[in-house]
Amino acid sequence: MSDGLVSSLNELGSASYLSSICHLWDEWVGLGNLEDFLSYLDYLVWVFTPLAIVFILPLIIILLLYLSILFLHVYKRKNELREAYSNNLWDGARKTLATLWDGHGNIWHGYEIHGLEKIPDKGPALIVYYHGAIPIDYYYFLAKVILLKGRTCHSVADHFLFKVPGFRLLLEVFSVFHGPREECVRALRNGHLLAISPGGLREALFSDETYPLLWGRRQGFAQVAIDSEAPIIPMFTQNVREGFRSLGNLWPFRWFYERFRLPVAPLYGGFPVKFRTYLGDPIPYDPNVTAAELADTAQKAVQSLIDQHQKIPGNVFRALLERFHRKGKEE
């Protein structure tokens, strides 16, 4: 066999081998399938883009409408805001933010407050309240107190809140602190309002749709009221647990909290259920009552508000239906 023929056969074998390799590579990578997939994906984009635009644009319009409504709430109070800013920078800032939160509460939750007249126009009072998974109802309450009473309510919050990046200025402006007891007494003796949730973070994470009060044997708040000779005003917001829910009762999150005292339980919600905050009759200062007795009286007062105004167990769908059914009747 000549050298030329051998060379030709070798080249033919190499070409056949390369062709086989390319064919195998094409099957393994699936370029043909990939082209089909990309073609199908392009078809889906072509079909669903108009539908996406149809749904997205109305959402943007709704968002703009709500922003417009919030602006109108601010504009309605422009003279009050101008006066507040002329007196003190932080007074103006507090009133502006209170106006925004009040607008949000009215729009999203149809927020109402009953018994605001029980909050004194001046002088001390200790407000004790049930703590929802997120105490958004308390933010609305603060806004109402600022706008309608012209007062700032000091607040006691958990330590972890002061470790959240960027929160410090907000907490300072709205007079939020984590204690100790002496600072609480000082605030009340200086004639301020002060709000405490005895259940605190534990109640936020582990209470549920049956609305149990998880106060344990906490009496510190009662001793604060006794030392400052301030009345206690009980407070509860209807459907607050239906607005936001916590998964804290699932054992991994509860175990983690009990071990490390870190609130890692996921939250879900933001449902536009009706919120109504109820303030009970003030519990006056009595020098003959012990802290344990006063704590028990305050707990019973908050429990009484829950019994009167909350359907147990709470239900998100029922709360939504009640809100919009009532709204339809009013209209």
Side-chain angles (χ1 to χ4, degrees):
M1 186 178 292
S2 66
D3 292 340
L5 182 58
V6 171
S7 177
S8 297
L9 290 173
N10 287 337
E11 288 178 1
L12 183 61
S14 298
S16 178
Y17 175 75
L18 289 174
S19 177
S20 298
I21 292 295
C22 289
H23 179 70
L24 290 173
W25 172 259
D26 181 63
E27 287 187 350
W28 183 67
V29 174
L31 290 178
N33 293 334
L34 181 60
E35 289 177 0
D36 292 340
F37 173 74
L38 291 176
S39 176
Y40 181 65
L41 185 63
D42 182 61
Y43 171 75
L44 290 178
V45 171
W46 179 80
V47 170
F48 287 106
T49 295
L51 293 175
I53 293 174
V54 166
F55 284 103
I56 291 173
L57 287 181
L59 290 176
I60 294 175
I61 293 171
I62 291 171
L63 175 62
L64 291 175
L65 287 173
Y66 275 120
L67 289 175
S68 299
I69 295 169
L70 284 174
F71 169 77
L72 292 176
H73 276 278
V74 176
Y75 188 81
K76 184 172 68 174
R77 298 184 182 273
K78 66 174 184 177
N79 292 329
E80 298 175 19
L81 295 175
R82 187 183 297 115
E83 182 180 352
Y85 276 104
S86 66
N87 293 330
N88 182 282
L89 174 65
W90 294 128
D91 285 346
R94 277 190 289 267
K95 207 155 195 176
T96 301
L97 289 175
T99 301
L100 290 172
W101 277 101
D102 187 55
H104 183 276
N106 288 332
I107 294 167
W108 197 245
H109 292 288
Y111 181 72
E112 299 175 8
I113 186 167
H114 298 267
L116 188 61
E117 70 280 358
K118 297 172 184 178
I119 301 291
D121 294 329
K122 59 181 180 179
L126 176 62
I127 296 109
V128 294
Y129 63 96
Y130 173 85
H131 200 304
I134 294 180
I136 191 169
D137 61 309
Y138 179 66
Y139 307 153
Y140 299 149
F141 166 76
L142 288 181
K144 289 292 188 186
V145 169
I146 291 172
L147 295 175
L148 300 181
K149 286 288 185 176
R151 305 191 65 181
T152 300
C153 183
H154 294 222
S155 309
V156 177
D158 194 90
H159 286 77
F160 95 93
L161 200 61
F162 296 83
K163 299 176 182 178
V164 178
F167 267 45
R168 185 166 295 277
L169 179 60
L170 179 67
L171 299 175
E172 288 178 358
V173 170
F174 282 89
S175 303
V176 181
F177 52 91
H178 56 73
R181 185 186 301 171
E182 292 75 19
E183 191 170 355
C184 296
V185 172
R186 188 182 307 114
L188 289 168
R189 284 181 175 173
N190 289 334
H192 296 296
L193 300 173
L194 177 67
I196 297 176
S197 173
L201 194 57
R202 177 177 293 275
E203 195 165 83
L205 295 176
F206 306 128
S207 188
D208 55 29
E209 66 275 7
T210 62
Y211 287 81
L213 293 175
L214 305 183
W215 292 14
R217 297 182 179 179
R218 294 182 177 178
Q219 303 172 11
F221 73 95
Q223 192 61 55
V224 164
I226 291 172
D227 293 343
S228 59
E229 301 183 6
I232 291 179
I233 301 176
M235 186 174 84
F236 170 72
T237 299
Q238 182 186 55
N239 293 326
V240 65
R241 207 83 204 174
E242 277 55 71
F244 285 90
R245 291 288 182 89
S246 167
L247 297 178
N249 277 316
L250 297 179
W251 74 263
F253 307 119
R254 188 161 195 137
W255 176 87
F256 196 89
Y257 176 80
E258 297 291 354
R259 187 174 181 85
F260 301 105
R261 287 295 185 270
L262 292 175
V264 295
L267 302 171
Y268 67 96
F271 305 112
V273 298
K274 183 73 175 181
F275 278 178
R276 291 185 181 88
T277 292
Y278 294 92
L279 293 159
D281 293 329
I283 303 169
Y285 165 70
D286 184 345
N288 298 317
V289 173
T290 66
E293 293 170 337
L294 184 57
D296 184 62
T297 300
Q299 183 169 351
K300 288 179 179 177
V302 175
Q303 184 63 58
S304 177
L305 292 175
I306 295 173
D307 295 340
Q308 290 178 52
H309 304 293
Q310 183 62 52
K311 290 184 179 180
I312 302 295
N315 183 281
V316 174
F317 295 106
R318 183 180 63 215
L320 287 169
L321 289 173
E322 286 176 354
R323 178 188 173 186
F324 292 110
H325 181 65
R326 286 174 180 268
K327 186 177 179 181
K329 278 188 172 181
E330 291 170 0
E331 292 175 352

